[in-house]
Amino acid sequence: MGNSYAGQLKSARFEEALHNSIEASLRCSSVVPRPIFSQLYLDPDQHPFSSADVKPKVEELDKDLVHRCTQNGSLDFSNTLTVNEMEDDEDDEEMSDSNSPPIPYSQKPAPEGSCTTDGFCQAGKDLRLVSLCMEQIDIPAGFLLVGAKSPNLPEHILVCAVDKRFLPDDHGKNALLGFSGNCIGCGERGFRYFTEFSNHINLKLTTQPKKQKHLKYYLVRSSQGVLSKGPLICWKECRSRQSSATCHSIKPNSSVSSTVTPENGTTNGYKSGFIQTDSPILSPANSAINLSGAQDLTRNKNVVKPLALSLQVVGKTFAADAANGNSSHGGKNSATSSTPVRPGNYSLSPRPSYASGDQATMFISGPPKKRHRGWYPGSPVPQPGLVVPVPTVRPLSRTESLLSAPVPQTPLTGILQPRPIPAGETVIVPENLLSNSGIRPVILIGYGTLPYFYGNVGDIVVSPLLVNCYKIPQLENKDLEQLGLTGSQLLSVENMILLTIQYLVRLGPDQIPLREEFEQIMLKAMQEFTLRERALQMGAQWVPVSPGQLPWLARLIASVSQDLVHVIVTQNSLAEGISETLRTLSEMRHYQRLPDYVVAICASKIRGNEFCVVVLGDDLDKLLEKMQQRRGDSVVTPFNGDLNEYVSPQEAAAMIPTQNLDSDNETFQIYQPQLTVARKLLSQVCAIADSGSQSLDLGHFSKVDFIIIVPRSEVLVQQTLQRIRQSVSFQALYHMVNLVHGLADRVINCREVLEAFNLLVLQVSSFPYTLQTQQSRISSSNEVHWIQLDSMEDMSCEEKLYFGLNEYSKSLLWGITSPLLRCDETFEKMVNTLLERYPRLHSMVVRCYLLIQQYSEALMALTTMASLRDHSTPETLSIMDDLISSPGKTKSGRGHMLIIRVPSVQLAMLAKERLQEVRDRLGLQYRFEIILGNPASEVSVATHFVARLKTWRGNEPEEWTPRTYQDLEGLPCIVILTGKDPLGETFPRSLKYCDLRLIDSSYLTRTALEQEVGLACCYVSKEVIRGPTVALDLSGKEQERTTVSENDSDELLMDLERPQSNSSAVTGTSGSIMENGVSSSSAADKSQKQPLTPSFQSSANSVGLDEGVSTGTVGTGETLKQECDSLGPPMASSTTSKPSLASSSSSLGPRALPWPGGPVQGCRGLHASLPPIVILSKAAYSLLGSQRGGKLPSSSSLLPHADVAWVSSLRPLLHKDVSSEEQSLYYRQWTSARQHHADYSNQPDPSSGAWACHPRRLLLTGPPQVGKTGSYLQFLRILFRMLIRLLEVDVHDEGEINTDHSESSEVSQSEGEPWPDIESFSKIPFDLSVHDPKYSLMSLVYTEKLAGVKQEARKESKAEEPRKRATVSMMLTKYAAYNTFHHCEQCHQYMDFTSASQMSDSTLHAFTFSSSMLGEEVQLYFIIPKSKESHFVFSKQGRHLESMRLPLVSDKNLNVVKSPIFTPSSGRHEHGLLNLFHAMEGISHLHLLVVKEYEMPLYRKCWPNHIMLVLPGMFNNAGVGAARFLIKELSYHNLELERNRLEELGVKRQCVWPFIVVMDDSCVLWNIHSVQEQTSPPVEAGVSSKNVSLKSVLQHIEATPKIVHYAILGIQKWSSKLTSQSLKAPFSRCHVHDFIVLNIDLTQNVQYDFNRYFCEDVDFNLRTNSSGLLICRFNNFSLMKKHVQVGGQRDFIIKPKIMVSESLAPILPLQYVCAPDSEHTLLAAPAQFLLEKFLQHASFKLFPKAIRNFRSPVLAIDCYLNIGPEVAICYISSRPHSSNVNCEGVFFSGLLLYLCDSFVGADLLKKFKFLKGATLCVICQDRSSLRQTIVRLELEDEWQFRLRDEFQTANSSDDKPLYFLTGRHV
């Protein structure tokens, strides 16, 4: 629409100025920006803008702004209603400016048989855009695809091909007259008339077809190839874009629908738009008029809150229904709700404004052209000085009923028309009105003719808030009757004036006018008149107040208002009164008090009474200043108090919160899934090394380093360092980790790294799509995927379950009224309206400014200006309410975190500054913190908040400051997270809200979208996922709950998806409503979230693939990039907050707990971690929310990343159940790297066509925040341990036991002696006590000293539970023994054979000898490799094995160990430490493995170069006693054979070396110790230790003088507790274990008990000692034993011989024996094993008198058996001349006879005394020998037996059970 006396407004120029003004205003907070329209008014001859207008970039915010900044920079985007798209662009040109109806158009009938369906052409082909958007449409050159609007299909666009010559250029010019178009449906071409074309495509018009009217949009293809609606076609110089018409939007309640169908039967596709202004008021800065319809000035006069308005201009009703153009057909108003709806006000200014929000803003530029039928809002405003005519509201005839209906959607039938300008009806707006007075007056249109305004019109606002109350349409009689009215009642203008004044007086200073409220007052007034009329039976019309009475009555009513309402009465026009008011306002001083309302009345005798109201409110900054002044220096109490409680800043800073006792200690834990994944990574590394491709040699390295590369984020660097420090297990590696942050792709793709053979690269990402292309350098076999999460759900031990993207999508099906994934529809409509109107504005700028405004107004609404409540969307208000109210509810002051994602750094800084300013002015600076999360900077937190964090954490050093977001746990704060992508920073459990409303449809790649939502992924308690199986119904009794009185808005948590009738039930504030099962008053959600480090790296950005790829290096450097996600649920348990008894939470009954595990009434104990609530943009919500249909979220069908491209448009869809492995293969097949991608250079092999993968590169992928960091740190640890292989080993570390009652040595020894002196040593008494810690749960051996020791109850170990023994990790040395996993060049010949054929080189030799103990011949087998045959003697004929060579005692060869070494081993063919090459320093030695027959093949395969001694098959189930017995028997037999052989050669028999070494298969290291010299007497001398070889230990022992006189020699067990005291005596005469040098000649008559499974060495030592033989322990040597977790001593799983069912209860040790011939369950285990196990646990039953009674031990003849740790055993040998302990005076508490031989006689037993009631246990091989023993030993003389006291082990008779009898001493 042109302006007859103004220049033309050029669209592009307008948008540029508008955009610059937005940016300038928000950057500048002090002065008012230069008005847009004064910038824009161009000279008529000015050259038009170039068509190359582009959407302004956010990055250009800085340019050319400063000089534009003027005061109070703010921005309002108010919803504008484009009135019927510029009244269909002036509709029919032939129309006059009268109100005549349009000329009906008769359409030519369609040809017979043709299709007439809407949306299809007459040939029946579909033309709708929705059907054709994916089609490839061929159009002739010079043609464009455009969209036509059909009146019958308002929601569809029809696709047409039109010759672009007949379309306008970007400036609305140069379109040829006429038309040329084609039908793209049937392909018919050459339509030359639009009328003909419109018939063909079935537009079915009722008006003359015009291309300008029905061709609306250009159609464009998106980057995805989708055809979609593009920009509007610029007919008539783009006036539709200029028209900043009425703006109006309400909440999207489907119940509101009041659009009346216009005469052409369509809604004309109205589009709402925002008006963008640079002033805090919604009017454009220089336009005089803001016509805002139906507003609700809720609580404060500063803010006009609009309500639903329908304007009717020239008979058409224009939709004001939230910009959705709803039509209620039939021309009737529809309002399905009888309750007035109070829609929110949406203004984009960071400060609320007078007429902000949804005002219908009208810009009026001058008298209309003659041909215009009506007055169109939206024309440009002239420069200052030009007259601005204002549309006046023509008074209706006085006969019409003026009636106010209670429905707010009543259309306005007042006809807005321009009038000629009468003299004296103009108002000059004074210059600097706003800056002088600080007030922008709002003129509420009343009744009559408003004047014209000119001058500084930007400083006033004109609002039609109450105009509908005075202009009411005619109602039907039945409607009138329903309201209790008759058609004759009308309020006179005078009465309306008086009612208005009364209403304003009643409002007082703290409220603002509400239209609904005033409508009800008007209605009641009319009802009063009706009642009075009926009472008086009068039918006459009500007599109005006379014009003469009006002035003084008006002043009289206003006089009681305490000067809040002034009345100005003029005679000529309203202009006089308004001018007077504005003049007074501009000349006033700041200290003068102003009225709130000025009512201007014109009592004109010619025109009757007219009036309007001038509202004098403050602008937002002034309001904030006033609040600040009113508050003074005080601030809102930081916590534990309401928002209306104030304290001084000093007091606030000094307030100390209570320490949270439930807070977790931040230990770094590794969870089972992480361990599993770490092991998968390790096995993959091993697979690469074992692949035979020579890609990786794990054996060659000198040291191991790790490099972790993280994206460029300061917080991430600190977080990664913290993770490594927290990992206790990782401490050893800490000094080897180098942390680098930079672009990983540059590092890992450089030539040096690609070619380094000792470098391993691990890339870690949640979104690995850039690494999974056709050119990927990572082999698909080298991808390690996180374990399937559903399998984790089955783990009963896992308290937490992962809640990721899929779970968020699925949560939409839960049906809860507070969903976890939300879309703020109201916010979206506001944004869309503006973007459609000004498509060149950057959507991020629009969204950001709107969001700033939303949060600012929400803050004000919740603290000081409740009237602003409805200016924020319910979503924003509930978030802010929760954020600022939760700290006030507890003494700890903990609260929630809100993340607002603002990708642009400039906009994020702006948002922080503005929100901080509003917060500080409201006094909330101690209540919550605002933090800018900028990757380039560290976390910055105010000092008083740091102090609070330190208090909560406890024990932090003085200089501690938060360095990561996790450090902010519990701090109420807003984090404005900026940067292109989230980089993987971890957020604390207190994160409750993620506001992603700025992440809009421009994020069209899967990585970008999922990265953003990945911020909120976390671990939650099981109840969260399993609980909401039933849709939660919050609509019933929820309303009965009490709500916090000051937060009583009805719409805070309205479910935007539901109709008003449902959602209205969900009322109350966020303080009382249950958010996801937790009262958001923070009644139970202190710990919202598992701190899972987010792990979503965009593995590529413009530079290449990496921002999130983590790499690791092994060898010289092992790059491992931290892609930033934490260990699973690292700090798993949630913090529980203290009880909050705010009325909201204390009133929560059981109904309010939708999920199991929720807090009980009044309690805050919800341990369930809950996922954060995510608020998305509409675009993101529709992509992620599409899983409702059971398919993958639509995000999975997006292009995976901007750096890759689809290979083909014809490709299968991803299936919904696809695993991440299949997904990888899909992307590897269907995507390729773009040119700037780092993998682009990876070209295929020309010969094979396959792409080359890097052999040493791995990829770990898993969902965001699932725990990948913990996993790869664990991987580094186990990789390190594997690489350093057995250079580190866990060894037993336990101090000696029973040291307090060992016999002291009476003979002094000189400390420095290397060997014992046989003379003095033989005088040392033998120490009977066992000191080896592995026997801590065995029976004590009685000594005289033990009798004096007070015995305390020992801790009873549970049956069959292995005791956990203490271990310590030691670095291996070059002298260690190794298992089969060790490989090195030095020992590979010792270990390996070169080919499989060589295994046959080992020969099997039988060796037979007779054993007196076994009473039969024993046949053993030797397996002797060819290389070891030199150690044996074979017969010359037949090569029969004759003996094993032995050296002479006199041999002195330093390169030889003389003693053969025997190692019995079982179950440890891989893990036994049988490689003694390094331990023996590579010298020649004879080593024999002693194995059981059934295990021989396994040992032979693992140790092909070892000599093996294979035990007979009868010993397959035998214990370790049998192996030792046979080693000793064989060795003695061999000694005799060698003596015989060497005697023939002239060697004396006693000269043959009689020693063997018997050594366990877990001996790993040997040490030598020496006592360091004391520095001062009080300080105990230290012990210096040095690792030595087994060779040196054995050679030292073998060099002992007179060694042949010692029976056994050994060394002590190593312990970290070794002290100089324990080394004081260099030699001890005591028990030796595990590693012994045994003299088989001296011990010929002392045998191991071959039946034994346990304690065989203690039994053997006691036998040896009682035979008078010497046992010597070298104390200056020690043995380290490796903790080997497999194999070893045979322990049977005891189960019934005949299995009845699989699931039997475990068998207890007391069930191992039974009465003979009973029906007891027989067990499948050896009899001796059952007996020994039974005796260990049966001491309380067998020997009750012996329990903890060491003065009276149990007497055991010729045996030591473990009968439990509570009992002492006195070992006595029956052999003549044996040395035994002194038993004189000892009364024994029991007698144990075990398989006694003939040396035990009745006379021997009679020497001992027993307590009365002592018990006896006699054990024999069978029942007959048991009876014979009783008789032979004359036991019945002193012991009483009963038949029922006979028992047997629970074996079948085939397994030869053992029998025993118990008795009691008489």
Side-chain angles (χ1 to χ4, degrees), residues 578-880:
I578 296 172
S579 293
E580 174 65 19
T581 306
L582 297 182
R583 185 184 57 75
T584 309
L585 191 59
S586 67
E587 294 171 359
M588 65 162 286
R589 297 288 170 265
H590 279 290
Y591 56 82
Q592 289 179 272
R593 185 172 175 200
L594 278 177
D596 287 341
Y597 305 99
V598 176
V599 181
I601 302 171
C602 171
S604 167
K605 292 180 181 174
I606 306 164
R607 295 185 304 202
N609 290 327
E610 297 176 334
F611 76 101
C612 68
V613 180
V614 183
V615 188
L616 306 177
D618 292 338
D619 109 298
L620 184 70
D621 268 354
K622 295 281 179 185
L623 275 168
L624 280 169
E625 275 176 33
K626 279 189 179 176
M627 292 171 197
Q628 202 168 0
Q629 287 162 7
R630 195 181 311 155
R631 185 167 50 80
D633 288 336
S634 58
V635 294
V636 174
T637 184
F639 51 88
N640 197 28
D642 290 336
L643 293 168
N644 53 13
E645 295 178 26
Y646 292 92
V647 295
S648 69
Q650 296 77 19
E651 196 179 338
M655 279 180 72
I656 296 174
T658 57
Q659 192 170 354
N660 198 354
L661 300 174
D662 300 325
S663 63
D664 300 319
N665 46 352
E666 304 204 356
T667 52
F668 183 96
Q669 275 180 282
I670 302 291
Y671 290 80
Q672 192 55 50
Q674 293 169 297
L675 286 173
T676 307
V677 172
R679 288 181 191 130
K680 281 173 74 176
L681 279 167
L682 184 67
S683 64
Q684 191 53 45
V685 170
C686 294
I688 296 171
D690 296 342
S691 65
S693 62
Q694 305 299 313
S695 302
L696 187 64
D697 184 357
L698 295 179
H700 285 82
F701 60 90
S702 56
K703 64 171 184 167
V704 180
D705 283 329
F706 301 104
I707 299 173
I708 298 176
I709 305 180
V710 299
R712 293 182 171 179
S713 162
E714 287 299 323
V715 171
L716 198 49
V717 171
Q718 295 300 329
Q719 180 182 301
T720 309
L721 284 170
Q722 203 175 77
R723 280 275 167 277
I724 296 168
R725 281 194 296 266
Q726 283 172 342
S727 170
V728 179
S729 59
F730 209 60
Q731 283 296 340
L733 309 189
Y734 184 42
H735 65 285
M736 283 172 280
V737 175
N738 301 292
L739 199 63
V740 181
H741 66 299
L743 293 175
D745 65 311
R746 290 185 183 175
V747 176
I748 65 175
N749 291 311
C750 68
R751 188 174 167 188
E752 296 87 335
V753 171
L754 289 172
E755 295 176 358
F757 275 89
N758 60 343
L759 206 63
L760 193 64
V761 175
L762 170 66
Q763 293 180 266
V764 188
S765 178
S766 291
F767 309 104
Y769 316 126
T770 45
L771 305 174
Q772 295 167 335
T773 62
Q774 287 185 344
Q775 294 101 316
S776 175
R777 296 179 196 269
I778 301 169
S779 161
S780 58
S781 61
N782 280 352
E783 282 188 27
V784 173
H785 300 265
W786 200 260
I787 55 178
Q788 286 298 309
L789 299 172
D790 50 0
S791 65
M792 288 167 61
E793 202 164 331
D794 301 330
M795 295 186 183
S796 55
C797 58
E798 294 294 331
E799 286 304 313
K800 308 281 174 189
L801 293 175
Y802 178 71
F803 199 90
L805 295 165
N806 282 348
E807 286 71 24
Y808 267 106
S809 288
K810 287 174 188 167
S811 73
L812 292 169
L813 302 173
W814 291 357
I816 54 175
T817 41
S818 255
L820 299 176
L821 208 58
R822 303 180 185 177
C823 172
D824 192 344
E825 295 277 2
T826 321
F827 182 85
E828 291 299 319
K829 285 196 165 64
M830 295 153 66
V831 173
N832 289 341
T833 310
L834 182 61
L835 289 177
E836 283 181 15
R837 189 146 199 78
Y838 303 113
R840 287 189 177 87
L841 276 179
H842 198 291
S843 63
M844 189 64 76
V845 175
V846 172
R847 285 176 173 274
C848 184
Y849 288 175
L850 180 56
L851 207 59
I852 296 170
Q853 161 94 5
Q854 288 281 303
Y855 280 113
S856 300
E857 293 187 350
L859 267 177
M860 296 177 68
L862 291 163
T863 49
T864 50
M865 294 182 64
S867 56
L868 282 176
R869 272 182 177 279
D870 295 330
H871 284 240
S872 293
T873 66
E875 207 62 71
T876 314
L877 202 59
S878 67
I879 291 172
M880 285 312 298

Side-chain angles (χ1 to χ4, degrees), residues 1657-1718:
D1657 50 353
V1658 176
D1659 182 60
F1660 182 73
N1661 288 340
L1662 291 171
R1663 291 169 195 254
T1664 305
N1665 175 63
S1666 64
S1667 302
L1669 301 174
L1670 292 178
I1671 301 177
C1672 175
R1673 188 179 84 180
F1674 284 68
N1675 290 334
N1676 54 342
F1677 288 111
S1678 72
L1679 163 71
M1680 285 182 171
K1681 288 198 73 182
K1682 180 181 177 181
H1683 176 58
V1684 183
Q1685 293 177 309
V1686 295
Q1689 214 162 271
R1690 180 70 190 272
D1691 212 353
F1692 293 88
I1693 298 166
I1694 297 176
K1695 37 186 194 186
K1697 181 134 183 153
I1698 299 165
M1699 293 293 284
V1700 182
S1701 72
E1702 285 299 323
S1703 56
L1704 277 174
I1707 298 165
L1708 300 174
L1710 293 181
Q1711 295 173 286
Y1712 295 169
V1713 299
C1714 61
D1717 308 321
S1718 67

Side-chain angles (χ1 to χ4, degrees), residues 810-1073:
K810 287 174 188 167
S811 73
L812 292 169
L813 302 173
W814 291 357
I816 54 175
T817 41
S818 255
L820 299 176
L821 208 58
R822 303 180 185 177
C823 172
D824 192 344
E825 295 277 2
T826 321
F827 182 85
E828 291 299 319
K829 285 196 165 64
M830 295 153 66
V831 173
N832 289 341
T833 310
L834 182 61
L835 289 177
E836 283 181 15
R837 189 146 199 78
Y838 303 113
R840 287 189 177 87
L841 276 179
H842 198 291
S843 63
M844 189 64 76
V845 175
V846 172
R847 285 176 173 274
C848 184
Y849 288 175
L850 180 56
L851 207 59
I852 296 170
Q853 161 94 5
Q854 288 281 303
Y855 280 113
S856 300
E857 293 187 350
L859 267 177
M860 296 177 68
L862 291 163
T863 49
T864 50
M865 294 182 64
S867 56
L868 282 176
R869 272 182 177 279
D870 295 330
H871 284 240
S872 293
T873 66
E875 207 62 71
T876 314
L877 202 59
S878 67
I879 291 172
M880 285 312 298
D881 187 16
D882 200 5
L883 182 76
I884 63 178
S885 62
S886 55
K889 295 177 179 167
T890 62
K891 290 183 180 176
S892 72
R894 285 176 167 252
H896 308 307
M897 175 186 282
L898 157 68
I899 291 177
I900 305 175
R901 259 292 280 155
V902 185
S904 158
V905 177
Q906 295 97 325
L907 288 174
M909 291 166 70
L910 179 78
K912 178 181 187 268
E913 287 164 17
R914 182 58 191 159
L915 290 176
Q916 215 162 337
E917 179 193 357
V918 174
R919 178 199 68 174
D920 295 353
R921 286 189 166 190
L922 294 172
L924 293 166
Q925 57 266 53
Y926 290 88
R927 190 75 163 194
F928 70 95
E929 179 62 305
I930 299 175
I931 296 161
L932 181 65
N934 187 346
S937 57
E938 296 179 350
V939 175
S940 173
V941 180
T943 316
H944 51 271
F945 286 121
V946 174
R948 208 175 300 176
L949 286 167
K950 278 202 279 200
T951 306
W952 290 332
R953 295 167 70 89
N955 305 326
E956 290 292 355
E958 188 61 37
E959 66 279 2
W960 181 88
T961 55
R963 295 181 177 276
T964 68
Y965 296 126
Q966 270 183 300
D967 291 343
L968 306 177
E969 169 63 47
L971 184 71
C973 61
I974 298 175
V975 175
I976 299 169
L977 193 64
T978 187
K980 177 176 175 285
D981 301 296
L983 295 178
E985 297 90 345
T986 303
F987 290 91
R989 296 183 301 271
S990 55
L991 171 64
K992 187 168 182 183
Y993 299 101
C994 283
D995 189 336
L996 305 180
R997 284 180 280 186
L998 297 197
I999 310 302
D1000 68 349
S1001 56
S1002 61
Y1003 280 66
L1004 280 176
T1005 68
R1006 179 175 183 181
T1007 299
L1009 178 64
E1010 293 184 358
Q1011 237 174 325
E1012 299 288 347
V1013 186
L1015 279 171
C1017 298
C1018 60
Y1019 277 78
V1020 297
S1021 50
K1022 291 178 181 177
E1023 291 82 2
V1024 173
I1025 293 182
R1026 295 176 185 171
T1029 49
V1030 182
L1032 301 180
D1033 176 20
L1034 294 181
S1035 57
K1037 296 179 183 162
E1038 290 293 305
Q1039 283 177 306
E1040 296 167 15
R1041 295 182 300 157
T1042 56
T1043 56
V1044 183
S1045 57
E1046 65 267 62
N1047 295 340
D1048 57 359
S1049 164
D1050 283 345
E1051 297 121 11
L1052 291 192
L1053 283 176
M1054 200 162 282
D1055 189 338
L1056 299 178
E1057 296 294 323
R1058 300 185 176 205
Q1060 173 69 22
S1061 54
N1062 286 347
S1063 58
S1064 63
V1066 188
T1067 59
T1069 61
S1070 62
S1072 62
I1073 195 79

Side-chain angles (χ1 to χ4, degrees), residues 151 258-268 270 312 315-318 326-333:
S258 58
T259 311
V260 178
T261 310
E263 67 264 60
N264 61 3
T266 80
T267 54
N268 282 306
Y270 304 138
Q312 197 175 54
K316 293 191 180 183
T317 304
F318 293 94
N326 292 339
S327 165
S328 47
H329 295 286
K332 295 207 173 178
N333 304 325

Side-chain angles (χ1 to χ4, degrees), residues 487-499:
S488 58
Q489 286 79 41
L490 275 180
L491 290 179
S492 67
V493 177
E494 289 77 15
N495 281 335
M496 289 194 290
I497 292 171
L498 296 177
L499 274 173

Side-chain angles (χ1 to χ4, degrees), residues 19 300 346 353 498 532 573 611 1136 1191 1412 1416 1466 1566 1675:
H19 187 72
N300 189 298
Y346 314 112
S353 57
L498 296 177
R532 186 171 304 181
S573 72
F611 76 101
T1136 315
K1191 56 181 185 294
S1412 57
E1416 57 182 287
S1466 177
W1566 291 261
N1675 290 334

